[in-house]
Amino acid sequence: MPTAIEDFNLALPMQHSARSETDLASLVAQYSGLLFRVAHSVLRSRSEAEDAVQDTFVRVLEHQRTLHSIRDMRVWLVRITWNLALDRRRRIRPDQIDDLFAATLVNPGTPADEVLHEAQRMKTILREIDRLPKKERQILLLSALDELGTTELAAVTGRSESAVRALLFRARTRLRTRLEKGASA
Amino acid sequence: MNNSDQDLKRILNALRDTEPPRAMQQRVLASVAQREAMPSRIFPWSFVALAATVGIAAILAINVMPRGAHSSSEVTVLPKPSVSQVAVTVPAPQPLVPHASAKAPAGNLAAQTARRPHQLLCDCDPTALAEANAPSMPPPELPLTEQEKLLRRIARHPNPVEVAELTPAAREAKIAADNDDFKAFFTPPAKAQAPE
């Protein structure tokens, strides 16, 4: 059982192109962290996010013959991971996972009588994020990772850069409005 | 910045700062390597198609083969029965006086006793068949007629009246004698001559 990345010899059988990006081990080493955060922003579970990353690289293995036609590997992997994470979130029970994730967001110094209230507030925000329109939610979560620029976000979502900026603004405004309305109600 | 913005910023920062689990890369590579080691999807279908073709060919070959080619190995050879075994298969003779409840005709009974050994024995032993199909000795008796049944009942319970019923002439004579006696008893006596 190999323990180090260097022990794996999973060079993809590319006949026409010998680019280093097609080496699966290097792909995993380069993009697994980003893909994990992308999946975690949707799933909010570390184990589920890791499974989504594994599924992503299995897809890479299945499409190894067409990898040479992919122009931007980073964008392509993020898009696959996002879609796989959405599919996986439909199969799991998000409420229980959000409870656990909201509990980790509570400040450690919070008094015991306010912990439950703060966790409930975090869970409300997570629920409002999920209620956002599909593209706005995607732009909001991916931009929060601070690893994808506007150009890459535009490539991932299939929109223009100006549309990405507009979607991000609308997402924040809509979320703020809903949260204020929920707090006043 | 109000509380909602602060909470939203905290959530987005938490999502940004999430670190992947330790040794996740090794696990991902191991799972991908395991997936790569699995046989391709084409192999099972080709194997199934080949197996199905061989099976169909085998079935056709078995059906085309002549029947006599495999009869010697499939027919069960029964041992030749001895005399004692044949004697066991022959039914016991019926009693001379049948039971009153025996309503079956003699022909059917003989046919049944003749069929049973034929069903039990195979065609490969003519001696046993001849012994089994031989007529029973003595043959079963015919049922009694109504007169025979009446005679048997009279013999067991003798009654003079019934005996007379069997002989019309004696019966007529007895009736005539009874009438004479009746008349002789009830006939008024002749009037005696009065003395002067």
Side-chain angles (χ1 to χ4, degrees), chain A residues 145-173:
Chain A
L145 301 179
D146 287 343
E147 296 188 51
L148 297 172
T150 308
T151 307
E152 289 178 317
L153 285 176
V156 169
T157 57
R159 301 293 180 94
S160 64
E161 295 184 24
S162 59
V164 168
R165 284 191 287 270
L167 283 171
L168 181 59
F169 176 77
R170 264 186 279 167
R172 287 184 176 275
T173 305

Side-chain angles (χ1 to χ4, degrees), chain B residues 54-144:
Chain B
V54 171
I56 292 172
I59 293 172
L60 290 176
I62 291 173
N63 288 333
V64 170
M65 186 181 297
R67 298 283 181 182
H70 56 83
S71 59
S72 60
S73 61
E74 293 182 358
V75 173
T76 303
V77 178
L78 295 177
K80 189 172 183 178
S82 60
V83 177
S84 60
Q85 290 173 340
V86 174
V88 169
T89 57
V90 174
Q94 297 296 319
L96 295 177
V97 179
H99 193 264
S101 62
K103 300 292 184 182
N108 292 341
L109 187 60
Q112 290 175 4
T113 54
R115 272 199 303 270
R116 284 172 189 161
H118 182 73
Q119 296 170 353
L120 295 175
L121 299 175
C122 66
D123 297 336
C124 56
D125 194 346
T127 306
L129 279 176
E131 293 287 340
N133 294 328
S136 300
M137 293 300 290
E141 295 181 351
L142 295 173
L144 300 176

